Amino acid sequence: MKHKIVFFDMDGTLYQTENDVIQDSTIAAIQNLKEAATGRPLNQMKLILQRLDFDYYVLINGGYILDHDFNMISASPIKHDTLESLVKLAQDQEYGLMLHFGDATYIYNNFYPMYDFSKYCNVLDSLFYDPTQSFHKRHDAYNAVILTKNVQPLQDFMEDHEDLRSDLINVKTNGFCYDIFNVENDKAHGIEMILEREGLTWDDVIAFGDSTNDTKMLEKADIGVAMGSASDYVKSFANFSTTDIQNHGIYNALKKIMADED
């Protein structure tokens, strides 16, 4: 087979966010390829890891990269002074705030709204509450999730912190929910680190994704596949799109790719 490695976005691609169901057909289809997961923090992948054994992990928007044995290849956490400013903003504005630390997730503000958000996204594993709001002083945080109805103070904060990026998370929640991380963190950059380690290039890559933070890897991969749930904008970066995984979309896409190579 021409392609050597496949990269999967987690939520909404490899499985449906609400239930973590992975199709047996998908598992069978990728057995002859190296496999890499992209997306979720490691602590939110327990059910997935019971069924799939990945070769690499490009996690938290490419800010936390691990090998098969969970040894760290690269890490790019939010700077501590920047994070302190973000925590203070959330306190002052009474924003919901949740921080991802790679292998644990801590809620700082507005416990129940953030808990409901995590429950909806089926990411309750290793979820803790830190009423002292001090865990980040001792550990590296790679990502912050902000929940708010008052967006303007956050937008002002982001304009003053050009080292950060904010992506709107499109979820069913009471207010606007933003994913905040280092502006230089990117899945595609993390993938390039793995390709270099493996002696591979983008020509060897198949990538599956469905959201805006997947667009670069879909565009650079030799074969980029957008899931049926992806927007038209995301699909414009892919070679083709397929149905959602409940209809065996990944299996059908890989079957087509393999047939074209024979």
Side-chain angles (χ1 to χ4, degrees):
M1 184 175 181
K2 172 186 175 183
H3 298 95
K4 304 296 191 300
I5 190 167
V6 58
F7 290 86
F8 290 108
D9 171 54
M10 295 285 96
D11 295 320
T13 298
L14 186 60
Y15 53 82
Q16 294 300 320
T17 303
E18 296 85 354
N19 55 30
D20 282 354
V21 171
I22 302 175
Q23 296 292 341
D24 290 336
S25 60
T26 295
I27 296 174
I30 62 179
Q31 287 180 345
N32 295 324
L33 293 165
K34 284 188 174 293
E35 305 137 22
T38 75
R40 286 189 182 191
L42 187 64
N43 59 291
Q44 295 177 4
M45 295 175 59
K46 291 180 180 178
L47 294 177
I48 294 93
L49 294 177
Q50 291 174 7
R51 302 203 64 195
L52 276 176
D53 188 25
F54 292 97
D55 295 291
Y56 290 101
Y57 303 84
V58 182
L59 307 177
I60 320 180
N61 300 301
Y64 189 55
I65 304 172
L66 308 174
D67 66 13
H68 172 269
D69 298 315
F70 308 112
N71 298 310
M72 189 168 64
I73 296 173
S74 176
S76 180
I78 299 173
K79 294 177 182 177
H80 280 274
D81 57 345
T82 302
L83 193 60
E84 286 282 5
S85 298
L86 185 61
V87 170
K88 185 177 186 305
L89 172 73
Q91 291 173 336
D92 292 344
Q93 298 296 326
E94 298 184 349
Y95 288 165
L97 175 63
M98 184 164 62
L99 300 176
H100 295 310
F101 294 92
D103 57 358
T105 299
Y106 277 77
I107 293 176
Y108 273 33
N109 293 351
N110 296 352
F111 175 81
Y112 284 107
M114 298 308 295
Y115 177 87
D116 289 342
F117 164 79
S118 299
K119 187 176 181 180
Y120 166 76
C121 293
N122 198 29
V123 291
L124 294 179
D125 284 340
S126 300
L127 182 68
F128 304 100
Y129 178 54
D130 183 5
T132 68
Q133 302 194 15
S134 63
F135 193 80
H136 69 284
K137 298 178 184 293
R138 307 182 302 277
H139 302 272
D140 287 334
Y142 298 90
N143 168 271
V145 177
I146 290 281
L147 180 62
T148 177
K149 293 182 180 179
N150 182 15
V151 176
Q152 190 59 53
L154 178 60
Q155 291 177 340
D156 294 340
F157 177 88
M158 295 303 297
E159 289 180 3
D160 291 336
H161 293 81
E162 295 181 352
D163 55 332
L164 293 181
R165 168 182 165 183
S166 65
D167 285 357
L168 178 64
I169 304 173
N170 186 20
V171 296
K172 296 176 182 176
T173 185
N174 186 20
F176 297 95
C177 202
Y178 289 88
D179 196 17
I180 298 174
F181 52 96
N182 286 340
V183 69
E184 72 269 16
N185 288 358
D186 183 81
K187 289 182 180 182
H189 178 65
I191 288 172
E192 286 171 352
M193 291 185 185
I194 292 172
L195 296 178
E196 184 176 353
R197 284 172 63 94
E198 289 288 333
L200 301 174
T201 71
W202 283 104
D203 289 339
D204 300 302
V205 173
I206 303 170
F208 288 84
D210 74 323
S211 59
T212 54
N213 64 359
D214 298 321
T215 54
K216 283 188 180 180
M217 74 172 187
L218 291 175
E219 183 178 33
K220 290 190 173 187
D222 187 58
I223 300 291
V225 185
M227 302 308 290
S229 58
S231 67
D232 289 341
Y233 173 76
V234 173
K235 290 177 183 178
S236 71
F237 290 87
N239 295 89
F240 63 92
S241 60
T242 185
T243 57
D244 67 34
I245 59 173
Q246 298 297 351
N247 294 318
H248 308 282
I250 290 175
Y251 169 78
N252 290 331
L254 286 174
K255 184 178 179 181
K256 179 182 184 301
I257 293 168
M258 293 175 185
D260 291 343
E261 294 179 359
D262 290 339

